[in-house]
Amino acid sequence: KKFPKHELKKIPQGGAKGYPKVYTMEDWRNLGRNLKNVIFLNIHQACNRDQPLETKPLETVRLAQLLSLGFTVISEEANSLDSELYKDIVLVEKDIFHEKKWSPSLVRLLQNKSALVEWQLSAYHLFKQLFRPSKLLHDAHVWDGGMLMQSSCQTSLN
């Protein structure tokens, strides 16, 4: 879908001298209000095309804000670790650069509004469950001295 210019002006724009603007929470909320039923594509045409699949990142830092707002993301393939972590959260399309060759299952999902909404809600809840800040901090042992205090590195710190 192409957006009229008046709609695009509602999207937060980048900052001065090409540096991205640091969006406030209100900017992100406005993005969510202004862009209903939008799907974001995660594409790295220039830098990832010739890169071996096992080294391609999913760019999870960029995607986290979109996923935390419940947006649907379709990505090109990524390494197996990222792909497994974000399974059922990010849709992956092997041939993302050629829309007419997209997998039939993805096309069917995109054509069925109720199925897409159901998938989107499920992905949103799974993202919130797996990547909530308290869980990430707990898994990193932040509350009990950090990973260094939990390993053989502890003796070398004394």
Side-chain angles (χ1 to χ4, degrees):
K1 172 183 174 182
K2 292 190 178 192
F3 293 96
K5 284 186 181 182
H6 71 278
E7 283 188 50
L8 290 176
K9 289 180 183 176
K10 296 176 186 175
I11 300 173
Q13 300 298 310
K17 297 182 182 178
Y19 293 101
K21 177 182 175 186
V22 177
Y23 296 160
T24 65
M25 184 54 79
E26 189 58 29
D27 289 333
W28 285 106
R29 284 188 189 111
N30 286 335
L31 181 66
R33 283 186 210 112
N34 294 328
L35 298 178
K36 300 291 183 202
N37 302 316
V38 171
I39 295 172
F40 288 86
L41 299 178
N42 183 44
I43 298 174
H44 306 287
Q45 186 172 5
C47 65
N48 276 352
R49 180 149 290 170
D50 297 327
Q51 197 175 353
L53 180 60
E54 282 310 306
T55 62
K56 288 184 178 185
L58 187 59
E59 303 291 347
T60 56
V61 172
R62 288 190 302 125
L63 299 180
Q65 289 173 311
L66 296 172
L67 296 170
S68 70
L69 290 168
F71 284 115
T72 299
V73 175
I74 301 174
S75 180
E76 66 177 311
E77 291 183 296
N79 66 64
S80 58
L81 177 62
D82 286 349
S83 295
E84 188 60 32
L85 279 171
Y86 284 81
K87 182 182 177 190
D88 299 325
I89 297 172
V90 172
L91 294 163
V92 176
E93 178 50 51
K94 183 176 182 173
D95 205 359
I96 199 165
F97 297 104
H98 303 97
E99 183 183 344
K100 292 182 181 178
K101 295 180 182 178
W102 282 9
S103 62
S105 60
L106 178 60
V107 172
R108 277 192 305 277
L109 178 65
L110 296 176
Q111 291 173 339
N112 184 333
K113 186 175 181 175
S114 61
L116 182 58
V117 167
E118 184 178 322
W119 187 92
Q120 189 175 20
L121 287 171
S122 174
Y124 172 74
H125 291 298
L126 184 58
F127 177 80
K128 289 291 195 180
Q129 174 189 342
L130 295 176
F131 298 103
R132 70 182 187 277
S134 61
K135 181 184 183 325
L136 296 176
L137 293 172
H138 179 268
D139 291 351
H141 298 280
V142 169
W143 311 127
D144 49 0
M147 291 301 288
L148 287 176
M149 299 306 288
Q150 304 301 316
S151 68
S152 59
C153 296
Q154 180 180 5
T155 56
S156 65
L157 292 174
N158 297 330

